[in-house]
């Protein structure tokens, strides 16, 4: 068994799927009003930002104090600080978000990928997790952390509560601390029909929750992420260590961004409405893109959240080989060129290089201009809009050429 697996010269990671939507005017006004703030937030965020984050999680059934919150300018530096504050080797599902493995590598920490169950991505198969932990220990490793995401990038799936419970119980039983990335929890396409359970609800003393606000609340150009620590003495020590690392990195949230992030985390009506409309729009477009993927003879789990889907073009391997595409790096280049939009190969998410898997975003299908994207957001039937229909036809044509 090897940690820190390397698939070759991948020098940068793909950005998270873009929403393809204009900034909410209310948030833009809040940011503009705070533009005169010349000082960054203190390490881990100021009182207003941390209190807003506490309230955000309180409304989701995760109780705690503002003292147990840490903020940073984006998920990557915050995750790096969290990993640095914990000891031991890192385990994560396969596939997993693109930033996870590089963060472990930066710290020189062994990272092990555990296969996901057939039903979903984002969490490890519980039995495979136990086997991996035991093998790592037998080889002299020190498994200490499990990263997971109940609402997953890249697979756009939501893990069933029973599987989440089994994976968490297996991890805690083996002495692992869990970092739950819940960036995408508010992008669930059909929230009334989907049961979402945070690992922190099941194992409150053993789970740190991470949320990147660009998942739902703020634009990616305004980097802000927050972490919620358990209310225990060991967690308080890790919280302090996390702040030390953020300080050493200079990873401080900009003052105007912190003001806008706190406003978004308080979830006034305009923010809630935008999040709901965006989720509904991406649900319709992702469902149409999923139909196009299946129509071309490829495979993909039905997308349940986010603004992307994860396609397996393995059934199209003979035709792709004729085109000179034999692995996911070549597939990424081929589809990105023809779609005119990022199509990140599965090797970036921990999948095997030879597997022809790719993450396809729905943001580029909403329109080429801001007026078109605004129209898509407001439309009762977005798929009927000419620019959306044309974009989906082009998407289907690129895939259809591979049949």
């Amino acid at each position: 068994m090897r940690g820190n697996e390397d698939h070759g010269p991948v020098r940068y990671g793909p950005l998270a799927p873009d929403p393809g939507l204009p900034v909410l005017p209310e948030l833009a006004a809040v940011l503009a009003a705070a533009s005169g703030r010349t000082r960054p937030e203190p390490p881990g965020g100021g009182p207003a930002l941390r209190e807003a984050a506490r309230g955000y999680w309180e409304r989701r059934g995760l109780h705690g104090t503002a003292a147990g919150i840490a903020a940073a300018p984006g998920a990557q530096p915050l995750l790096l600080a969290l990993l640095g504050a914990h000891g031991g080797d890192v385990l994560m599902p396969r596939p997993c978000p693109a930033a996870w493995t590089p963060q472990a590598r930066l710290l020189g920490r062994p990272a092990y990928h555990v296969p996901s169950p057939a039903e979903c991505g984002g969490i490890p198969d519980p039995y495979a997790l136990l086997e991996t932990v035991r093998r790592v220990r037998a080889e002299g490793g020190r498994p200490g952390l499990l990263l997971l995401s109940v609402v997953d990038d890249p697979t756009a799936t939501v893990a069933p509560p029973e599987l989440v419970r089994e994976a968490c119980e297996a991890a805690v039983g083996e002495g692992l601390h869990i970092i739950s990335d819940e960036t995408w929890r508010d992008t669930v396409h059909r929230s009334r029909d989907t049961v979402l359970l945070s690992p922190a609800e099941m194992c409150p003393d053993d789970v740190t929750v991470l949320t990147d606000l660009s998942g739902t609340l703020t634009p990616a150009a305004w980097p802000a992420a927050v972490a919620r620590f358990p209310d225990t003495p060991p967690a308080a020590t890790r919280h302090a260590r996390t702040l030390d690392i953020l300080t050493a990195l200079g990873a401080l949230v900009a003052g105007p961004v912190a003001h806008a992030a706190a406003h978004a985390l308080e979830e006034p009506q305009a923010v809630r409405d935008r999040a709901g409309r965006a989720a509904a729009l991406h649900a319709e477009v992702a469902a149409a893109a999923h139909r196009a993927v299946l129509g071309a003879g490829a495979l993909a789990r039905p997308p349940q959240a986010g603004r992307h889907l994860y396609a397996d073009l393995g059934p199209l391997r003979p035709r792709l080989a004729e085109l000179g595409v034999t692995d996911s790096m070549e597939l990424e280049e081929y589809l990105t060129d023809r779609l005119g939009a990022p199509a990140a190969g599965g090797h970036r998410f921990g999948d095997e290089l030879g597997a022809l898997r790719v993450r396809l975003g729905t943001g580029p299908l909403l329109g080429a201009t801001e007026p078109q994207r605004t129209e898509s957001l407001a439309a009762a039937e977005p798929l009927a809009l000419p620019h959306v229909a044309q974009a989906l036809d082009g998407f289907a044509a690129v895939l259809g050429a591979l049949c």
Side-chain angles (χ1 to χ4, degrees):
M1 175 175 293
R2 293 188 298 117
N4 292 318
E5 297 164 344
D6 194 347
H7 290 309
V10 180
R11 297 184 178 88
Y12 58 91
L15 298 175
D18 188 84
L21 298 172
V23 177
L24 179 66
E26 179 176 313
L27 277 184
V30 171
L31 184 75
S35 61
R37 296 189 175 195
T38 59
R39 295 182 62 82
E41 294 280 283
L49 179 55
R50 289 186 286 106
E51 175 58 28
R54 184 207 62 77
Y56 170 87
W57 275 306
E58 180 86 20
R59 292 189 293 276
R60 285 154 181 80
L62 301 180
H63 309 292
T65 67
I69 304 295
Q76 284 86 349
L78 185 52
L79 178 59
L80 185 69
L82 291 174
L83 293 177
H86 290 76
D89 302 343
V90 184
L91 289 89
M92 58 191 74
R94 181 194 300 273
C96 65
W100 286 5
T101 304
Q103 300 288 37
R105 287 175 178 165
L106 281 172
L107 294 170
R109 199 75 65 78
Y112 300 91
H113 292 98
V114 183
S116 296
E119 296 93 326
C120 63
I123 63 170
D125 177 89
Y127 297 102
L129 174 63
L130 291 173
E131 177 62 21
T132 301
V133 169
R134 290 162 187 166
R135 289 178 62 187
V136 170
R137 286 190 176 132
E139 295 174 7
R142 298 186 305 109
L145 271 174
L146 171 65
L147 306 185
L148 52 76
S149 53
V150 175
V151 183
D152 185 44
D153 168 27
T155 65
T157 58
V158 179
E162 60 273 16
L163 279 175
V164 178
R165 184 178 298 279
E166 290 176 12
C168 290
E169 289 177 349
V172 172
E174 292 295 332
L176 304 182
H177 186 78
I178 299 168
I179 297 178
S180 175
D181 186 340
E182 300 184 7
T183 294
W184 301 98
R185 68 170 296 154
D186 296 325
T187 69
V188 172
H189 293 168
R190 295 170 180 83
S191 57
R192 293 183 179 179
D193 303 325
T194 305
V195 179
L196 193 161
L197 196 60
S198 170
E201 296 179 72
M202 303 178 187
C203 308
D205 293 343
D206 299 290
V207 179
T208 300
V209 180
L210 168 69
T211 296
D212 190 330
L213 272 63
S214 68
T216 310
L217 298 174
T218 60
W222 307 354
V226 288
R228 173 193 176 275
F229 290 74
D231 187 15
T232 66
T237 300
R238 290 193 294 265
H239 180 271
R241 177 60 177 154
T242 298
L243 298 190
D244 287 341
I245 296 171
L246 292 174
T247 302
L249 293 173
L252 311 178
V253 182
V257 171
H259 190 61
H263 183 81
L265 283 165
E266 289 167 354
E267 299 180 292
Q269 190 63 48
V271 171
R272 293 199 303 271
D273 289 347
R274 164 59 72 89
R277 290 199 304 271
L281 172 60
H282 282 288
E284 289 204 42
V285 176
H290 182 249
R291 291 192 292 271
V293 168
L294 298 185
L299 304 172
R301 294 185 181 102
Q304 298 174 282
R307 34 192 186 249
H308 58 281
L309 64 157
Y310 198 57
D312 182 353
L313 275 62
L316 308 179
R317 187 178 293 275
R319 172 59 177 155
L320 285 167
E322 293 175 3
L323 299 169
V325 177
T326 60
D327 61 33
S328 62
M329 291 181 72
E330 294 169 345
L331 180 63
E332 174 181 293
E333 182 178 355
Y334 178 89
L335 288 178
T336 296
D337 180 60
R338 283 152 183 81
L339 292 173
H347 59 285
R348 298 186 180 274
F349 308 105
D351 259 332
E352 295 294 337
L353 182 62
L356 294 173
R357 300 190 181 105
V358 63
R359 186 185 69 186
L360 302 167
T362 53
L365 303 174
L366 306 183
T369 66
E370 185 167 322
Q372 285 182 342
R373 294 189 287 269
T374 300
E375 185 180 9
S376 298
L377 186 65
E381 297 182 5
L383 301 187
L385 294 174
H387 62 269
V388 175
Q390 183 178 3
L392 283 166
D393 286 345
F395 179 84
V398 169
L399 294 174
L402 303 178
C403 295

